Amino acid sequence: MFAQSLGRKGVAGTSEHNYSSLVVTTTQRDERFMCAALKEAEKAQGRTSPNPTVGAVLVVDDRIVAKGHHRGAGHDHAEVECLRNFAAAVPPRATLYVTLEPCSTVGRTAACTDAILKAGVRNVVVGAIDVNPRHSGKGIARLRDAGVRLREGVLGEDCARLNEAFNKWIVARRPFVIAKCGMSLDGRLTRPPGEPRWITNRAARHHAHQLRARVDAILVGAETVRVDNPRLNVRGARGARQPWRVVLTRSGNLPSSARLFSDRLASKTLIYKRKSLAAVLHDLGKKNVTSVLIEGGGEVLGEALDARLIDKVRIYLGPILAGGPVIAFSGRGAEATLNAMYFDRICYHRIGQSVCITGYPKVPPPE
Protein backbone atom coordinates (compact mmCIF):
# COMPACT_ATOMS: atom_id res chain seq x y z
CA MET A 1 0.00 0.00 0.00
CA PHE A 2 2.74 2.47 0.93
CA ALA A 3 5.25 2.55 -1.91
CA GLN A 4 7.59 4.97 -0.18
CA SER A 5 8.17 2.44 2.59
CA LEU A 6 9.32 -0.17 0.09
CA GLY A 7 12.99 0.28 -0.80
CA ARG A 8 13.90 -1.05 -4.25
CA LYS A 9 16.02 -3.78 -2.69
CA GLY A 10 13.04 -4.76 -0.59
CA VAL A 11 10.70 -5.36 -3.53
CA ALA A 12 11.86 -8.78 -4.60
CA GLY A 13 11.68 -9.46 -8.32
CA THR A 14 10.39 -5.94 -9.11
CA SER A 15 12.06 -4.13 -12.01
CA GLU A 16 12.55 -0.37 -12.04
CA HIS A 17 9.67 -0.07 -14.53
CA ASN A 18 7.36 -2.15 -12.37
CA TYR A 19 8.40 -0.20 -9.30
CA SER A 20 7.44 3.05 -11.03
CA SER A 21 4.10 1.53 -11.97
CA LEU A 22 3.60 0.54 -8.33
CA VAL A 23 4.23 4.13 -7.20
CA VAL A 24 1.82 5.53 -9.81
CA THR A 25 -0.87 3.02 -8.91
CA THR A 26 -0.50 3.79 -5.22
CA THR A 27 -0.64 7.54 -5.83
CA GLN A 28 -3.75 7.27 -7.98
CA ARG A 29 -5.48 5.11 -5.40
CA ASP A 30 -4.55 7.44 -2.56
CA GLU A 31 -5.74 10.49 -4.48
CA ARG A 32 -9.02 8.78 -5.30
CA PHE A 33 -9.79 8.06 -1.67
CA MET A 34 -8.53 11.47 -0.53
CA CYS A 35 -11.04 12.99 -2.96
CA ALA A 36 -13.73 11.03 -1.13
CA ALA A 37 -12.47 12.41 2.19
CA LEU A 38 -12.59 15.94 0.77
CA LYS A 39 -16.20 15.45 -0.33
CA GLU A 40 -17.02 14.23 3.16
CA ALA A 41 -15.38 17.32 4.68
CA GLU A 42 -17.32 19.67 2.40
CA LYS A 43 -20.57 18.52 4.00
CA ALA A 44 -19.77 20.76 6.98
CA GLN A 45 -18.03 23.63 5.22
CA GLY A 46 -19.09 26.91 6.80
CA ARG A 47 -20.32 25.21 9.99
CA THR A 48 -17.14 24.33 11.90
CA SER A 49 -15.59 27.75 12.60
CA PRO A 50 -13.45 28.49 14.53
CA ASN A 51 -12.39 24.87 14.01
CA PRO A 52 -11.07 23.54 10.70
CA THR A 53 -13.16 21.54 8.25
CA VAL A 54 -12.02 17.90 8.12
CA GLY A 55 -13.18 14.70 6.44
CA ALA A 56 -12.07 11.08 6.77
CA VAL A 57 -12.78 7.74 5.11
CA LEU A 58 -11.73 4.23 6.12
CA VAL A 59 -10.77 1.89 3.27
CA VAL A 60 -10.51 -1.89 3.29
CA ASP A 61 -9.61 -3.82 0.12
CA ASP A 62 -10.10 -0.76 -2.10
CA ARG A 63 -13.57 -0.14 -0.73
CA ILE A 64 -14.77 2.67 1.52
CA VAL A 65 -16.28 1.04 4.59
CA ALA A 66 -16.87 4.14 6.76
CA LYS A 67 -16.95 7.93 6.51
CA GLY A 68 -16.89 10.81 8.95
CA HIS A 69 -16.53 14.58 9.13
CA HIS A 70 -16.14 17.17 11.85
CA ARG A 71 -19.53 18.79 12.43
CA GLY A 72 -18.46 21.73 14.59
CA ALA A 73 -16.74 22.85 17.78
CA GLY A 74 -17.37 20.37 20.59
CA HIS A 75 -18.33 17.53 18.24
CA ASP A 76 -16.16 14.51 17.50
CA HIS A 77 -13.38 15.03 15.02
CA ALA A 78 -13.62 13.42 11.59
CA GLU A 79 -11.33 10.49 12.37
CA VAL A 80 -13.24 9.59 15.52
CA GLU A 81 -16.63 9.76 13.80
CA CYS A 82 -15.36 7.68 10.89
CA LEU A 83 -13.96 4.92 13.12
CA ARG A 84 -17.12 4.90 15.22
CA ASN A 85 -19.21 4.51 12.08
CA PHE A 86 -17.23 1.39 11.15
CA ALA A 87 -18.44 -0.26 14.37
CA ALA A 88 -16.12 -3.25 14.06
CA ALA A 89 -12.51 -4.22 14.68
CA VAL A 90 -10.26 -2.46 12.17
CA PRO A 91 -8.27 -5.03 10.15
CA PRO A 92 -4.50 -4.46 9.81
CA ARG A 93 -4.81 -3.95 6.04
CA ALA A 94 -7.24 -1.02 6.45
CA THR A 95 -6.16 2.52 5.60
CA LEU A 96 -7.55 5.71 7.13
CA TYR A 97 -7.60 8.76 4.83
CA VAL A 98 -7.94 12.13 6.53
CA THR A 99 -7.80 15.60 4.95
CA LEU A 100 -5.94 17.22 7.87
CA GLU A 101 -3.21 15.98 10.17
CA PRO A 102 -4.80 14.28 13.22
CA CYS A 103 -4.51 16.32 16.40
CA SER A 104 -2.31 15.03 19.20
CA THR A 105 -3.54 17.25 22.05
CA VAL A 106 -6.58 17.15 24.29
CA GLY A 107 -9.06 20.01 23.95
CA ARG A 108 -12.85 19.81 24.00
CA THR A 109 -12.35 16.31 22.62
CA ALA A 110 -9.67 13.65 23.10
CA ALA A 111 -6.59 13.50 20.88
CA CYS A 112 -7.35 11.92 17.51
CA THR A 113 -3.98 10.18 17.46
CA ASP A 114 -4.98 8.26 20.59
CA ALA A 115 -8.27 7.23 19.01
CA ILE A 116 -6.49 6.04 15.86
CA LEU A 117 -4.00 3.96 17.82
CA LYS A 118 -6.67 2.57 20.12
CA ALA A 119 -8.69 1.44 17.09
CA GLY A 120 -5.67 -0.44 15.77
CA VAL A 121 -5.29 1.52 12.54
CA ARG A 122 -1.91 0.67 11.01
CA ASN A 123 -2.02 2.73 7.78
CA VAL A 124 -2.85 6.44 7.54
CA VAL A 125 -2.81 8.86 4.59
CA VAL A 126 -2.90 12.58 5.42
CA GLY A 127 -3.74 15.47 3.11
CA ALA A 128 -2.55 18.74 4.70
CA ILE A 129 -0.33 19.41 7.69
CA ASP A 130 -2.05 21.35 10.48
CA VAL A 131 -0.61 24.88 10.59
CA ASN A 132 -1.74 25.33 14.19
CA PRO A 133 1.56 25.65 16.13
CA ARG A 134 0.09 23.49 18.90
CA HIS A 135 -0.41 20.59 16.52
CA SER A 136 1.78 21.08 13.44
CA GLY A 137 3.72 17.90 12.69
CA LYS A 138 3.13 16.46 16.14
CA GLY A 139 0.26 14.18 15.16
CA ILE A 140 2.25 12.67 12.32
CA ALA A 141 5.29 12.17 14.56
CA ARG A 142 3.12 10.54 17.23
CA LEU A 143 1.66 8.03 14.78
CA ARG A 144 4.98 7.22 13.16
CA ASP A 145 6.62 6.72 16.55
CA ALA A 146 3.87 4.21 17.33
CA GLY A 147 4.68 2.23 14.18
CA VAL A 148 1.87 3.49 11.94
CA ARG A 149 2.75 3.55 8.23
CA LEU A 150 1.92 7.07 7.13
CA ARG A 151 1.91 9.04 3.91
CA GLU A 152 1.41 12.81 3.93
CA GLY A 153 0.75 15.52 1.36
CA VAL A 154 -1.75 13.62 -0.80
CA LEU A 155 -3.81 16.32 -2.56
CA GLY A 156 -2.19 18.62 -0.01
CA GLU A 157 -3.03 21.87 -1.82
CA ASP A 158 -6.69 20.93 -2.17
CA CYS A 159 -6.88 19.93 1.48
CA ALA A 160 -5.15 23.14 2.61
CA ARG A 161 -7.44 25.30 0.46
CA LEU A 162 -10.42 23.74 2.21
CA ASN A 163 -9.23 25.52 5.38
CA GLU A 164 -7.72 28.67 3.88
CA ALA A 165 -9.66 30.88 6.32
CA PHE A 166 -8.80 28.80 9.38
CA ASN A 167 -5.13 28.66 8.36
CA LYS A 168 -4.90 32.45 8.07
CA TRP A 169 -6.72 33.05 11.36
CA ILE A 170 -4.89 30.45 13.45
CA VAL A 171 -1.49 31.85 12.43
CA ALA A 172 -2.16 35.61 12.18
CA ARG A 173 -5.25 35.85 14.42
CA ARG A 174 -6.87 37.96 11.71
CA PRO A 175 -9.72 36.80 9.51
CA PHE A 176 -9.35 35.72 5.92
CA VAL A 177 -10.75 38.53 3.77
CA ILE A 178 -12.76 37.93 0.61
CA ALA A 179 -13.57 40.99 -1.49
CA LYS A 180 -16.83 40.31 -3.33
CA CYS A 181 -18.95 42.43 -5.60
CA GLY A 182 -21.29 42.28 -8.56
CA MET A 183 -20.15 44.82 -11.13
CA SER A 184 -20.73 45.89 -14.71
CA LEU A 185 -18.24 45.58 -17.55
CA ASP A 186 -17.18 49.18 -16.90
CA GLY A 187 -16.48 48.49 -13.23
CA ARG A 188 -19.60 49.99 -11.67
CA LEU A 189 -21.48 48.70 -8.63
CA THR A 190 -24.68 50.61 -9.39
CA ARG A 191 -26.73 51.59 -12.41
CA PRO A 192 -27.94 55.12 -13.16
CA PRO A 193 -30.87 56.40 -11.06
CA GLY A 194 -34.19 55.00 -12.19
CA GLU A 195 -32.66 51.90 -13.73
CA PRO A 196 -33.26 48.36 -12.35
CA ARG A 197 -31.07 47.63 -9.33
CA TRP A 198 -29.45 44.35 -10.33
CA ILE A 199 -26.32 44.08 -12.48
CA THR A 200 -25.94 40.29 -12.40
CA ASN A 201 -28.59 37.63 -12.98
CA ARG A 202 -30.59 35.69 -10.40
CA ALA A 203 -28.41 32.56 -10.76
CA ALA A 204 -25.26 34.56 -10.01
CA ARG A 205 -26.88 36.07 -6.93
CA HIS A 206 -27.87 32.60 -5.73
CA HIS A 207 -24.27 31.51 -6.27
CA ALA A 208 -23.11 34.39 -4.09
CA HIS A 209 -25.40 33.23 -1.29
CA GLN A 210 -23.52 29.93 -1.25
CA LEU A 211 -20.39 31.96 -0.50
CA ARG A 212 -22.18 33.83 2.29
CA ALA A 213 -23.02 30.47 3.85
CA ARG A 214 -19.30 29.70 4.22
CA VAL A 215 -18.09 32.86 5.98
CA ASP A 216 -18.29 34.07 9.56
CA ALA A 217 -19.09 37.71 8.81
CA ILE A 218 -20.27 40.02 6.03
CA LEU A 219 -18.96 43.59 6.11
CA VAL A 220 -20.31 46.75 4.41
CA GLY A 221 -20.02 50.50 4.69
CA ALA A 222 -22.68 52.82 6.06
CA GLU A 223 -23.69 54.12 2.64
CA THR A 224 -24.60 50.61 1.53
CA VAL A 225 -26.93 50.36 4.52
CA ARG A 226 -28.52 53.73 3.75
CA VAL A 227 -29.02 53.19 0.04
CA ASP A 228 -29.61 49.45 -0.34
CA ASN A 229 -31.04 48.49 3.08
CA PRO A 230 -29.50 45.01 2.73
CA ARG A 231 -30.27 41.95 4.84
CA LEU A 232 -26.76 40.44 4.58
CA ASN A 233 -28.09 37.02 5.49
CA VAL A 234 -27.96 33.58 3.89
CA ARG A 235 -30.97 32.57 1.85
CA GLY A 236 -31.54 29.38 -0.08
CA ALA A 237 -28.94 27.32 1.79
CA ARG A 238 -30.63 24.84 4.13
CA GLY A 239 -29.08 24.55 7.60
CA ALA A 240 -26.53 27.32 7.01
CA ARG A 241 -25.30 29.40 9.93
CA GLN A 242 -26.14 33.08 9.68
CA PRO A 243 -23.00 35.24 9.60
CA TRP A 244 -22.30 38.34 11.64
CA ARG A 245 -23.31 41.56 9.86
CA VAL A 246 -20.63 44.25 10.27
CA VAL A 247 -21.12 47.95 9.42
CA LEU A 248 -18.37 50.57 9.18
CA THR A 249 -19.50 54.15 9.75
CA ARG A 250 -17.76 57.47 10.31
CA SER A 251 -20.73 59.49 11.55
CA GLY A 252 -22.78 56.77 13.20
CA ASN A 253 -25.79 58.22 11.38
CA LEU A 254 -27.57 55.01 10.39
CA PRO A 255 -31.31 54.49 9.85
CA SER A 256 -32.79 52.69 12.87
CA SER A 257 -35.41 51.13 10.62
CA ALA A 258 -32.78 49.34 8.52
CA ARG A 259 -33.24 45.59 8.29
CA LEU A 260 -29.87 44.99 9.95
CA PHE A 261 -31.20 46.58 13.15
CA SER A 262 -34.83 45.44 13.09
CA ASP A 263 -35.00 41.87 11.80
CA ARG A 264 -34.71 38.62 13.79
CA LEU A 265 -30.92 38.65 13.36
CA ALA A 266 -30.45 42.17 14.77
CA SER A 267 -28.35 40.80 17.63
CA LYS A 268 -25.80 39.60 15.05
CA THR A 269 -25.14 43.13 13.75
CA LEU A 270 -21.94 44.88 14.83
CA ILE A 271 -21.29 48.59 14.28
CA TYR A 272 -17.78 50.08 14.21
CA LYS A 273 -17.61 53.88 14.36
CA ARG A 274 -14.54 55.77 13.17
CA LYS A 275 -12.40 52.63 12.94
CA SER A 276 -10.08 51.72 10.12
CA LEU A 277 -10.78 48.51 8.27
CA ALA A 278 -7.51 47.05 9.57
CA ALA A 279 -8.52 47.79 13.18
CA VAL A 280 -11.96 46.25 12.63
CA LEU A 281 -10.47 43.07 11.18
CA HIS A 282 -8.09 42.83 14.13
CA ASP A 283 -10.98 43.09 16.56
CA LEU A 284 -13.05 40.53 14.64
CA GLY A 285 -10.14 38.12 14.78
CA LYS A 286 -10.15 38.42 18.58
CA LYS A 287 -13.85 37.50 18.45
CA ASN A 288 -12.97 34.19 16.70
CA VAL A 289 -14.21 35.44 13.33
CA THR A 290 -12.04 33.49 10.89
CA SER A 291 -13.44 34.83 7.59
CA VAL A 292 -14.94 38.12 6.41
CA LEU A 293 -16.78 38.79 3.17
CA ILE A 294 -16.56 42.46 2.15
CA GLU A 295 -19.60 43.22 0.02
CA GLY A 296 -19.22 46.96 -0.48
CA GLY A 297 -19.52 49.58 -1.23
CA GLY A 298 -16.79 50.87 -3.45
CA GLU A 299 -15.16 52.94 -0.71
CA VAL A 300 -14.74 49.99 1.65
CA LEU A 301 -13.51 47.75 -1.16
CA GLY A 302 -11.06 50.48 -2.15
CA GLU A 303 -9.76 50.75 1.42
CA ALA A 304 -9.23 46.99 1.49
CA LEU A 305 -7.30 47.20 -1.77
CA ASP A 306 -5.19 50.22 -0.78
CA ALA A 307 -4.28 48.63 2.57
CA ARG A 308 -3.54 45.26 0.95
CA LEU A 309 -6.01 43.48 3.24
CA ILE A 310 -7.52 41.24 0.55
CA ASP A 311 -6.80 37.50 0.61
CA LYS A 312 -9.18 36.53 -2.19
CA VAL A 313 -11.52 38.17 -4.69
CA ARG A 314 -14.89 36.94 -5.93
CA ILE A 315 -16.24 39.21 -8.64
CA TYR A 316 -19.51 38.63 -10.46
CA LEU A 317 -19.36 40.38 -13.81
CA GLY A 318 -22.67 41.36 -15.40
CA PRO A 319 -23.11 41.69 -19.19
CA ILE A 320 -23.85 45.42 -19.21
CA LEU A 321 -22.12 48.79 -19.40
CA ALA A 322 -23.78 50.57 -16.49
CA GLY A 323 -22.20 53.99 -16.27
CA GLY A 324 -23.46 54.21 -12.70
CA PRO A 325 -22.08 56.55 -10.04
CA VAL A 326 -20.39 54.00 -7.72
CA ILE A 327 -17.06 52.59 -8.87
CA ALA A 328 -15.90 49.21 -7.60
CA PHE A 329 -12.64 49.40 -5.63
CA SER A 330 -12.42 53.17 -5.52
CA GLY A 331 -9.71 54.72 -3.36
CA ARG A 332 -6.18 56.02 -3.83
CA GLY A 333 -5.32 53.40 -6.42
CA ALA A 334 -1.87 52.29 -7.54
CA GLU A 335 0.67 55.00 -8.40
CA ALA A 336 2.10 52.76 -11.11
CA THR A 337 1.03 49.58 -12.85
CA LEU A 338 3.77 47.60 -11.12
CA ASN A 339 2.28 48.66 -7.77
CA ALA A 340 -1.15 47.25 -8.63
CA MET A 341 -2.44 44.10 -6.98
CA TYR A 342 -1.87 41.18 -9.31
CA PHE A 343 -3.68 37.86 -9.00
CA ASP A 344 -3.04 34.24 -9.81
CA ARG A 345 -4.93 30.97 -9.37
CA ILE A 346 -7.64 32.67 -11.42
CA CYS A 347 -10.89 30.79 -12.02
CA TYR A 348 -13.59 31.87 -14.47
CA HIS A 349 -17.04 30.37 -14.09
CA ARG A 350 -19.88 31.28 -16.39
CA ILE A 351 -23.30 31.57 -14.74
CA GLY A 352 -25.83 32.27 -17.48
CA GLN A 353 -24.76 35.59 -19.01
CA SER A 354 -22.76 36.54 -15.90
CA VAL A 355 -19.18 35.47 -15.16
CA CYS A 356 -17.81 34.66 -11.71
CA ILE A 357 -14.10 35.46 -11.34
CA THR A 358 -12.14 34.12 -8.37
CA GLY A 359 -8.49 34.87 -7.69
CA TYR A 360 -5.79 35.21 -5.03
CA PRO A 361 -3.25 38.06 -4.72
CA LYS A 362 0.08 37.11 -6.24
CA VAL A 363 2.84 36.94 -3.63
CA PRO A 364 5.39 38.31 -4.26
CA PRO A 365 4.08 40.78 -6.86
CA PRO A 366 5.62 40.72 -10.36
CA GLU A 367 8.92 42.55 -10.85
Side-chain angles (χ1 to χ4, degrees):
M1 183 71 188
F2 289 76
Q4 78 281 6
S5 68
L6 302 176
R8 296 193 182 185
K9 293 182 180 180
V11 187
T14 302
S15 67
E16 183 172 343
H17 172 74
N18 289 337
Y19 178 82
S20 298
S21 298
L22 176 63
V23 173
V24 171
T25 301
T26 299
T27 299
Q28 291 175 338
R29 180 169 56 239
D30 285 350
E31 289 183 352
R32 175 162 61 96
F33 290 124
M34 189 59 73
C35 277
L38 278 165
K39 289 181 180 178
E40 184 68 17
E42 288 170 356
K43 293 178 180 178
Q45 198 162 31
R47 304 179 186 182
T48 63
S49 181
N51 285 3
T53 303
V54 187
V57 297
L58 185 67
V59 175
V60 179
D61 298 331
D62 280 347
R63 185 172 66 90
I64 296 175
V65 296
K67 301 177 182 180
H69 62 272
H70 179 48
R71 299 174 184 273
H75 292 270
D76 286 336
H77 288 186
E79 306 92 316
V80 174
E81 180 176 282
C82 179
L83 293 170
R84 185 180 65 244
N85 288 340
F86 185 51
V90 177
R93 65 187 184 281
T95 301
L96 179 67
Y97 291 82
V98 58
T99 58
L100 184 67
E101 174 185 4
C103 67
S104 57
T105 58
V106 177
R108 291 187 182 182
T109 59
C112 292
T113 50
D114 292 345
I116 291 170
L117 295 175
K118 184 178 180 180
V121 177
R122 306 308 302 162
N123 306 295
V124 175
V125 178
V126 171
I129 304 301
D130 194 342
V131 300
N132 187 339
R134 293 182 59 211
H135 303 153
S136 186
K138 296 176 182 177
I140 286 176
R142 171 81 176 94
L143 294 174
R144 280 193 170 132
D145 289 346
V148 173
R149 287 174 288 183
L150 192 143
R151 186 180 183 194
E152 60 188 89
V154 174
L155 298 185
E157 290 186 6
D158 295 316
C159 292
R161 194 173 299 119
L162 183 71
N163 286 303
E164 58 189 6
F166 169 82
N167 291 344
K168 162 79 177 293
W169 175 77
I170 201 68
V171 172
R173 288 295 165 178
R174 294 193 308 275
F176 186 86
V177 176
I178 305 171
K180 172 259 177 181
C181 66
M183 72 179 188
S184 62
L185 293 175
D186 53 344
R188 309 297 173 129
L189 297 181
T190 60
R191 301 173 72 168
E195 292 291 320
R197 171 185 176 188
W198 300 113
I199 289 176
T200 57
N201 58 31
R202 184 184 299 273
R205 297 196 297 274
H206 176 74
H207 190 271
H209 272 278
Q210 306 308 307
L211 177 60
R212 282 185 175 184
R214 297 187 174 195
V215 299
D216 291 344
I218 302 172
L219 184 148
V220 297
E223 192 63 15
T224 297
V225 176
R226 298 187 191 105
V227 175
D228 295 340
N229 193 17
R231 285 179 278 182
L232 302 186
N233 60 2
V234 178
R235 301 186 292 277
R238 181 180 298 178
R241 294 191 313 170
Q242 292 295 339
W244 289 96
R245 291 98 60 93
V246 182
V247 181
L248 274 59
T249 175
R250 284 191 290 268
S251 67
N253 182 22
L254 296 167
S256 58
S257 60
R259 293 188 179 107
L260 297 183
F261 313 127
S262 59
D263 65 11
R264 65 182 180 84
L265 298 173
S267 62
K268 298 207 70 172
T269 300
L270 301 173
I271 301 174
Y272 287 90
K273 185 177 178 180
R274 297 194 186 96
K275 296 287 186 181
S276 69
L277 179 57
V280 170
L281 293 173
H282 180 73
D283 187 68
L284 291 174
K286 292 194 294 185
K287 290 179 167 62
N288 290 346
V289 171
T290 67
S291 56
V292 171
L293 181 63
I294 300 179
E295 290 207 359
E299 186 175 334
V300 178
L301 289 167
E303 182 179 354
L305 174 60
D306 288 341
R308 293 299 192 264
L309 296 172
I310 297 172
D311 296 300
K312 182 178 182 178
V313 294
R314 175 70 65 83
I315 296 174
Y316 294 90
L317 198 61
I320 63 172
L321 294 172
V326 181
I327 300 173
F329 298 95
S330 61
R332 296 192 309 271
E335 296 178 356
T337 302
L338 289 178
N339 295 331
M341 182 179 286
Y342 286 78
F343 291 83
D344 60 9
R345 289 184 282 162
I346 302 294
C347 174
Y348 301 92
H349 175 51
R350 182 170 175 175
I351 308 174
Q353 293 299 307
S354 298
V355 176
C356 174
I357 305 171
T358 303
Y360 296 81
K362 188 187 289 288
V363 180
E367 297 181 357

